[in-house]
Amino acid sequence: MRLQDLDRLDLPPTADMHVHLRQGAMLELVVPQIRQGGVDTVFVMPNLEPPITTVAQALEYQSRLQSIEPRLYSSITPEVIAEAAAAGIAGVKAYPQGVTTNSTSGVTAYTEFFPVFAAMEQHDLVLNLHGEVPSDPDSDITVLNAEEAFLPTLFELHRRFPKVQFRFSRPDMILSPAALAAVRACGPSVAATVTAHHLHLTVQQWCCDPFAFCKPVAKLPSDRDALIKAVCSGDPKFFFGSDSAPHSTTAKRGGASGRDKTPAGVFTQPVATQYVLLALEEAAERGVVAASSVTPERFAQFLSGFGRAFYKLPKPAEGAGLVLERKGARIPESIRSADGAIEVAVSRGGDRVFSLSWAAT
């Protein structure tokens, strides 16, 4: 039966393997939205200010959250990897310097971390790669081709460390057929998350709407449709990571002066699960994918099963699940802190989506 004809879906809880929760008052506002979006497991990004670069910092942050990864930094050594594994930390994140929010102290040369990667291979930690290179006008590299310029690095790391599990992180980065092909060409230890918003957005939206601007940037309709086909393919190399990234509405509009640089990030956390369903329903209506491939079974694999399997996480508890129904629910325009000091716009606010509730256990 076509998704468009279903009035109710029963799905397992969503596992969001790439999410930004920030810190301070923003964290307090955003964390309650996780469960509201149908998510029971999150993999939290460490690009805070200052960044998380030690096991102690990760465990301190973990005290308020459920899962966190330290960030690849000069202070991370093979000994730190052993300590992280013993503490139950699942992975390490590598940001190239300057490519995204709070990445000024990111990696400039992966070769200096080869001993660290060897230790990760030994201790079975996941290396989460932000798969872009910094823009370089002299090399004709911009936000439009930065991910494809990173692919040789991915292949080289996979060749040298074939047992390391690589997650092509923020693989909203897999925004091109070349990047999709690269992930497929690597062995089973290489996988990629796909965001919700890159199943909707193209350059046409973010070029004139700051609330649709993210990094990596959305590209052509054909790139978006290639991602949708990957999601519906049933390939376990591709699973959900929202890359939901909150910024205040003031910041997204250029700050108090209106002239500041717009931060990259699209916020989808309150409706993370429904947002994916909306994208796939619209794709089926456009004829991008056959209605027969847009099924509850494929949703469950992409949103929950494949990511948990890659990270060796347990299945959801018996009886845990989501109930999604067509009851006229709409995406909220924004969320606000109790004191009104922080407002964060939600992508596609006002659009109609499935309502979501948690099944009684």
Side-chain angles (χ1 to χ4, degrees):
M1 181 177 289
R2 300 185 312 162
L3 175 59
Q4 299 96 312
D5 298 328
L6 294 176
D7 290 326
R8 172 174 169 143
L9 284 169
D10 294 272
L11 295 174
T14 295
D16 187 346
M17 296 308 185
H18 186 115
V19 64
H20 297 270
L21 300 178
R22 308 303 188 206
Q23 57 206 113
M26 181 67 83
L27 180 143
E28 300 298 327
L29 173 62
V30 171
V31 166
Q33 306 300 319
I34 295 170
R35 189 169 175 85
Q36 185 173 325
V39 175
D40 75 342
T41 300
V42 291
F43 213 92
V44 185
M45 297 299 105
N47 54 328
L48 307 181
E49 190 58 49
I52 292 174
T53 60
T54 69
V55 173
Q57 289 171 337
L59 294 178
E60 181 181 357
Y61 197 39
Q62 189 183 43
S63 69
R64 302 193 302 277
L65 305 172
Q66 289 189 350
S67 176
I68 188 63
E69 53 182 348
R71 173 170 157 182
L72 194 61
Y73 191 67
S74 57
S75 62
I76 292 186
T77 64
E79 291 72 26
V80 172
I81 294 301
E83 182 186 357
I89 290 172
V92 173
K93 181 64 179 281
Y95 288 101
Q97 188 177 73
V99 298
T100 191
T101 302
N102 296 337
S103 64
T104 54
S105 57
V107 175
T108 56
Y110 285 91
T111 52
E112 66 180 281
F113 292 103
F114 281 1
V116 172
F117 300 154
M120 293 181 67
E121 208 167 30
Q122 178 184 351
H123 292 284
D124 197 25
L125 265 66
V126 176
L127 176 58
N128 297 285
L129 292 168
H130 181 118
E132 287 186 298
V133 300
S135 295
D136 180 3
D138 293 336
S139 301
D140 203 29
I141 295 174
T142 72
V143 293
L144 296 176
N145 61 358
E147 64 152 356
E148 291 194 28
F150 180 81
L151 296 181
T153 300
L154 172 66
F155 285 128
E156 175 65 9
L157 292 175
H158 182 50
R159 183 186 69 80
R160 287 180 176 271
F161 306 100
K163 295 181 181 178
V164 171
Q165 284 188 281
F166 293 94
R167 177 171 70 84
F168 202 17
S169 181
R170 272 183 79 177
D172 39 295
M173 305 208 175
I174 51 166
L175 293 182
S176 68
L180 285 166
V183 172
R184 290 183 173 119
C186 292
S189 62
V190 177
T193 49
V194 180
T195 76
H197 52 277
H198 282 87
L199 301 177
H200 293 270
L201 298 175
T202 68
V203 64
Q204 197 69 29
Q205 282 81 44
W206 68 260
C207 71
C208 48
D209 179 2
F211 294 100
F213 172 61
C214 57
K215 283 190 174 180
V217 297
K219 299 181 177 67
L220 302 177
S222 58
D223 297 317
R224 175 202 59 200
D225 292 349
L227 278 182
I228 290 168
K229 291 174 182 177
V231 168
C232 294
S233 68
D235 188 337
K237 279 178 166 283
F238 305 108
F239 48 85
F240 182 56
S242 70
D243 193 23
S244 179
H247 294 281
S248 71
T249 54
T250 299
K252 291 293 277 185
R253 292 186 176 116
S257 69
R259 295 188 297 272
D260 294 344
K261 184 177 179 180
T262 299
V266 172
F267 183 60
T268 58
Q269 204 69 61
V271 286
T273 301
Q274 301 101 302
Y275 210 86
V276 173
L277 299 182
L278 177 61
L280 299 184
E281 185 171 6
E282 292 176 343
E285 290 174 349
R286 294 196 309 271
V288 174
V289 289
S292 59
S293 66
V294 184
T295 66
E297 293 74 22
R298 292 286 169 85
F299 301 152
Q301 291 170 335
F302 172 71
L303 289 167
S304 186
F306 291 156
R308 295 179 199 272
F310 186 80
Y311 280 95
K312 301 180 177 66
L313 299 176
K315 295 180 179 180
E318 186 71 27
L322 308 176
V323 178
L324 296 115
E325 299 175 282
R326 295 189 192 274
K327 292 184 174 180
R330 293 185 182 275
I331 298 174
E333 298 286 348
S334 65
I335 61 171
R336 292 175 180 266
S337 59
D339 61 3
I342 301 176
E343 180 182 14
V344 180
V346 184
S347 183
R348 293 190 61 164
D351 283 6
R352 195 180 297 272
V353 291
F354 281 91
S355 67
L356 183 149
S357 61
W358 286 81
T361 57

